[in-house]
Amino acid sequence: MKRFSGLLTGVNGFLIQLLCMAFVLSGCGSSSEPVRIQGRAIGTTYSVIAYGLPKNISAEDLHKGVEQVVAEVNSVMSLFKYDSELSRFNAYRKNDWFSVSKELAGVVHTAKAVNQITEGAFDITVAPLVNLWGFGPDKRPEIIPTEAEIKEAQANVGSDKIEVRLDPPALKKLKPGITLDLAAIAKGYCVDAVSNWLKNRGISSFMVEIGGEIRTAGTKPGNLPWRIAVEKPVSMERSVQALISLSGKAMATSGDYRNYYEIDGKRYSHIIDPGTGRPISHTLVSVSVVDETCTRADAFATGLTVLGPEKGIALAKECNLSAFFIVKTPDGLSEIATGDFPQHEKMN
Ligand code: ADP
Ligand code: MG
């Protein structure tokens, strides 16, 4: 049995390098040099590139401010911290309202909306199944769960079993066994939180990247767009599938090619189809979604990945989502773009 775990870093350390490369490609020799900061965030890494800091903000202030935003998101949404707001809610076994921060209520609200649109494919209540398949915080040696274990876990899955109230912010379990896993949306949320912090400080040209999820604002000096790489979805090699220009928007990518394990030559992905209770198994290997917010982009990227090549592409077309699908074919990889997904340069 082999385990391939880019789990917490996803597509990512590599993407940072790609981003730097993309940055070089589009003219970093300009007169105004950016401030670049990097660090760790919600189990992965972050990187920020910003131009034109106001005079009253130093690079050090920027670093401290971003670290603080990231630490706050972690203390709310991490499953790996036993005392995070999310862990405390998960441990709560009653079915009355549980007060939470407006940030947590907001993310759960968005997650429920994406759950409805994706007809249950994106589901933050999937936590018992994620654990059962060995990808959650209670990691354990990978053994294939039995049908009975899958059924038992599925009994505590379903976004209709969780209620959210925005004001005053609170969550309610309609079944005490419900637990939440925000791994598929928290990185996107954190990108938005950092972006909003930068905007509120008067910074209008930046790129924020956390674990492969990205948001940009403005353009670079010389009116150059931010250029972002979509990684080629193969596990043993790191290369670029496509380069896109992204200004004032977010992009998130989901795929089964970095975080999985193999038993007897069969691949088990960390993305679970709540309908079957099993890891996804189809030819759709990567989905990138461009949206106004990275929270939504992240959730939709995972939801469309679960839906697979036919249903995922059909839903993206129907809902006019800007998405880029990479599908495995007998001859290699094929690409399908939907909605307003930016024109991209093919790299192969
Ligand atoms: P990555 O973390 O690699 O960027 P995703 O954003 O797609 O990828 O999130 C995958 C994670 O989300 C899994 O590791 C698991 O914790 C959780 N997850 C798995 N299946 C689902 C699902 N159907 N809906 C929501 N979250 C999921
Ligand atoms: Mg996601």
Side-chain angles (χ1 to χ4, degrees):
M1 180 254 300
K2 294 190 230 165
R3 176 177 259 276
F4 299 84
S5 192
L7 181 55
L8 298 173
T9 48
V11 285
N12 307 324
F14 174 65
L15 255 174
I16 297 169
Q17 291 164 29
L18 290 182
L19 289 165
C20 295
M21 186 187 89
F23 171 73
V24 170
L25 283 173
S26 45
C28 77
S30 96
S31 56
S32 156
E33 288 302 320
V35 172
R36 293 156 180 267
I37 57 171
Q38 289 184 1
R40 296 208 59 82
I42 49 172
T44 178
T45 55
Y46 76 78
S47 99
V48 175
I49 302 177
Y51 285 95
L53 261 49
K55 289 211 166 52
N56 60 345
I57 298 182
S58 66
E60 202 180 317
D61 296 335
L62 189 80
H63 199 166
K64 273 194 198 144
V66 171
E67 284 283 326
Q68 199 176 339
V69 175
V70 160
E72 275 165 22
V73 174
N74 212 33
S75 72
V76 172
M77 294 176 198
S78 173
L79 268 189
F80 293 84
K81 269 177 77 124
Y82 76 94
D83 59 346
S84 71
E85 209 177 352
L86 184 66
S87 296
R88 285 187 287 109
F89 175 65
N90 279 349
Y92 191 67
R93 286 284 176 262
K94 296 192 188 143
N95 60 356
D96 53 349
W97 286 107
F98 181 96
S99 292
V100 295
S101 60
K102 68 176 190 324
E103 289 77 13
L104 184 56
V107 165
V108 173
H109 184 75
T110 304
K112 272 181 67 93
V114 176
N115 172 265
Q116 285 213 324
I117 298 169
T118 60
E119 290 163 10
F122 178 79
D123 194 335
I124 55 170
T125 68
V126 77
L129 288 166
V130 173
N131 272 327
L132 185 65
W133 287 94
F135 291 104
D138 332 329
K139 263 191 210 121
R140 51 183 203 167
E142 295 82 16
I143 37 166
I144 309 298
T146 63
E147 197 55 47
E149 285 174 316
I150 294 173
K151 284 256 144 49
E152 193 188 328
Q154 271 180 316
N156 281 316
V157 175
S159 285
D160 55 335
K161 301 183 188 94
I162 177 105
E163 276 186 14
V164 55
R165 188 178 71 195
L166 294 178
D167 192 16
L171 302 177
K172 182 154 96 174
K173 299 181 182 191
L174 300 184
K175 215 175 165 195
I178 288 288
T179 48
L180 307 182
D181 174 346
L182 297 179
I185 192 170
K187 281 184 288 173
Y189 174 78
C190 198
V191 167
D192 288 336
V194 171
S195 299
N196 292 337
W197 186 88
L198 294 170
K199 281 187 183 163
N200 289 338
R201 301 276 159 328
I203 302 166
S204 55
S205 170
F206 59 78
M207 192 241 18
V208 177
E209 180 268 349
I210 302 180
E213 324 303 16
I214 293 159
R215 183 158 163 180
T216 67
T219 51
K220 295 188 290 178
N223 211 21
L224 292 168
W226 292 96
R227 303 190 67 213
I228 307 298
V230 176
E231 188 181 8
K232 191 172 193 154
V234 286
S235 49
M236 296 307 174
E237 183 197 318
R238 300 279 204 183
S239 56
V240 179
Q241 177 81 19
L243 267 178
I244 63 161
S245 296
L246 190 79
S247 285
K249 292 222 163 135
M251 182 178 86
T253 299
S254 186
D256 77 341
Y257 57 99
R258 286 270 168 259
N259 184 14
Y260 61 92
Y261 55 81
E262 273 181 14
I263 299 179
D264 299 332
K266 184 169 167 29
R267 181 185 285 207
Y268 294 90
S269 164
H270 68 137
I271 298 173
I272 313 286
D273 181 342
T276 62
R278 296 165 185 279
I280 54 166
S281 172
H282 49 56
T283 55
L284 176 56
V285 281
S286 162
V287 181
S288 300
V289 174
V290 166
D291 201 285
E292 296 301 319
T293 73
C294 207
T295 310
R296 264 173 56 96
D298 198 1
F300 272 115
T302 304
L304 294 175
T305 300
V306 172
L307 285 171
E310 289 89 25
K311 284 189 192 158
I313 294 167
L315 184 86
K317 285 183 177 162
E318 188 190 318
C319 299
N320 204 25
L321 298 169
S322 301
F324 181 64
F325 296 80
I326 307 177
V327 179
K328 216 185 307 176
T329 66
D331 313 321
L333 298 170
S334 79
E335 304 173 349
I336 298 106
T338 63
D340 294 328
F341 194 85
Q343 287 284 335
H344 57 279
E345 266 167 61
K346 247 182 121 140
M347 303 301 285
N348 51 352

